[in-house]
Amino acid sequence: MDTIIKNVKIITMNLDKHVIAYGYVLIKDGRFAIVSDGEPTKEQREKSKVIDGNGKWLMPGLINTHGHPAMSLLRGINDDLPLNDWLEQAIWPYERKLDKKSVQAARNLSLVEMLESGTTTFVDMYHLHMHEFAETIETVGMRASLMRSVIGLCSKEEQDEKLAESLSFAKQWNRGADGRIRTMLAPHAPYTCPPDYIERIVQAARDESLPVHMHLAETRKEIHDYMDEHGMHPLELLEERQLLEGTDWLFAHGVHMYEQHMELLQKHGAAISHNPKSNLKLGSGVAQVASMLKHGVKVGLGTDSAASNNALDMFEEMRFAVLLQRGINEQADMIETYEGLQMATVFGAKALRYEGLGTIETGQEADFILLSPNQAHLHPTDHVLSHLVFAAKGSDVTDVYVQGKALMENKQLTTIDKEKVLAEATLQFNNLKKTLQ
Ligand SMILES: [Zn+2]
């Protein structure tokens, strides 16, 4: 049966910035068959399940292009350290103690948080229990780009073993869960993967037509150390080794990059996942996003993990992204309001190489959210695009759909038990604390 959602304001996110003040969508086989103003016809209503949107705002589901959902139990651990010390002193000792149950508890916690704040698609870069997570996503119904990421500070045999594991996971799950799961290969970072290893990973990705995801140029220290060791910026080393061309790169961060790097990214179609809050919290800096966009680089937004954010609310990322560029460039239109929304939706889809995602248009995947405008901070309701970027909160989201299926209805999650997830997260965190005492 088809589904109709009527009596909604539709933020289409198309190139014309079109907002339908009063309209409806008709969903057939997981896609939008009709996106229209006005009311559905009697004939359409008779063949469909009709849901009254009660004047809510309907927009594309948010796309989180970089994260580590398995790290959510580490939320709030050592708030005041720079990236290197934070990883070595705070995060890695905890991560070494993570077992299957704690990883699962953290991931479920992340799924609840993302769903409740309107994220429909996310990236998980991690190395533990990936098959189990893919199975969870299959049940919960979200859309995700998954990868078994690798750190190459080990013997060649171990490197090869990790790469083989990544490849086997990627091949098994790519386009799985009714096409909702995509996979990538993921060297963790230039400072944890020697160039030869990155080269082997890129070669494997090209052979299997998989995108490659990697942290890049996150801190000034990373670039200084890299220059000392290799005599050039890590992006330039990738270029010199001809590893940028013919590869669908998605780099997380890209904070310490300069004009010539924007040109390289654009030339090779590489995408950036901009993680403004995580970069600020760790004192890493501010990526030159306005310049990236001006150069035509694909830029999506990401939260990074709850350990460095500490939330997974994409409305916050959108707001930080726009405000930061205006502040550091001292220019009020340095990133247009609409570009903020595009980075959280349609640009994110492009960064992940999903087709047919990120706008509300006929033929597109029916991944969308509804927000209740019955909030003081969203009134008067006329300037909806402005409100979504500068005033809305994740908690304004009331309904979440992926492939036309409701994963949250009127604030109730339909495929995951929130109470159970919160209790299990607390239990597993307490166990984890004990092992470190
Ligand atoms: Zn990260």
Side-chain angles (χ1 to χ4, degrees), residues 30-281:
R31 289 178 182 268
F32 293 114
I34 298 172
V35 176
S36 171
D37 59 355
E39 291 271 349
T41 63
K42 187 164 174 276
E43 196 189 348
Q44 287 165 349
R45 288 200 310 270
E46 278 168 3
K47 283 192 281 184
S48 311
K49 175 185 174 191
V50 181
I51 297 166
D52 189 343
N54 291 315
K56 286 180 185 175
W57 300 347
L58 188 154
M59 68 174 288
L62 304 174
I63 297 176
N64 185 343
T65 57
H66 180 68
H68 316 277
M71 292 173 73
S72 279
L73 296 189
L74 312 185
R75 191 193 317 264
I77 286 177
N78 288 70
D79 269 339
D80 306 322
L81 292 174
L83 177 71
N84 266 65
D85 300 342
W86 178 77
L87 283 174
E88 285 168 17
Q89 295 167 26
I91 297 303
W92 286 341
Y94 262 97
E95 280 195 309
R96 282 193 275 272
K97 299 286 182 185
L98 289 176
D99 60 11
K100 201 168 174 174
K101 275 190 169 170
S102 48
V103 163
Q104 190 179 28
R107 281 177 166 152
N108 285 340
L109 185 65
S110 300
L111 294 184
V112 167
E113 187 180 2
M114 287 193 282
L115 274 174
E116 287 196 319
S117 54
T119 293
T120 50
T121 298
F122 66 92
V123 167
D124 176 35
M125 182 200 237
Y126 216 60
H127 57 290
L128 298 172
H129 310 297
M130 293 310 301
H131 288 280
E132 288 82 353
F133 194 34
E135 283 160 15
T136 302
I137 292 161
E138 202 167 27
T139 317
V140 171
M142 291 176 79
R143 198 182 291 278
S145 278
L146 306 179
M147 61 216 72
R148 190 280 190 224
S149 67
V150 297
I151 284 183
L153 305 172
C154 50
S155 68
K156 179 159 185 308
E157 289 69 35
E158 274 178 87
Q159 288 180 350
D160 286 343
E161 217 171 282
K162 288 178 181 180
L163 176 54
E165 207 181 294
S166 301
L167 259 177
S168 135
F169 173 78
K171 285 199 256 186
Q172 181 179 337
W173 283 98
N174 202 19
R175 314 239 167 201
D178 294 327
R180 285 182 285 105
I181 292 179
R182 300 279 183 97
T183 56
M184 300 188 185
L185 296 185
H188 170 265
Y191 58 90
T192 54
C193 291
D196 286 345
Y197 191 31
I198 295 180
E199 193 163 328
R200 298 211 298 285
I201 296 167
V202 169
Q203 198 48 57
R206 284 176 183 159
D207 292 346
E208 298 298 330
S209 301
L210 293 166
V212 187
H213 188 29
M214 181 168 77
H215 294 104
L216 181 77
E218 183 171 357
T219 62
R220 195 173 295 282
K221 182 181 179 335
E222 174 191 334
I223 302 305
H224 279 169
D225 292 352
Y226 210 80
M227 298 285 285
D228 281 348
E229 196 181 340
H230 300 282
M232 62 183 87
H233 189 285
L235 189 72
E236 290 163 17
L237 189 127
L238 293 176
E239 160 78 351
E240 193 187 71
R241 291 200 168 209
Q242 299 179 320
L243 298 179
L244 290 177
E245 57 213 58
T247 308
D248 287 333
W249 276 102
L250 171 65
F251 295 116
H253 306 304
V255 175
H256 296 278
M257 300 226 258
Y258 311 100
E259 196 71 11
Q260 67 270 29
H261 302 134
M262 313 294 163
E263 283 158 20
L264 279 181
L265 293 171
Q266 193 276 335
K267 181 175 157 200
H268 296 293
I272 291 284
S273 173
H274 175 43
N275 297 203
K277 264 188 81 191
S278 174
N279 296 154
L280 287 174
K281 187 176 180 234

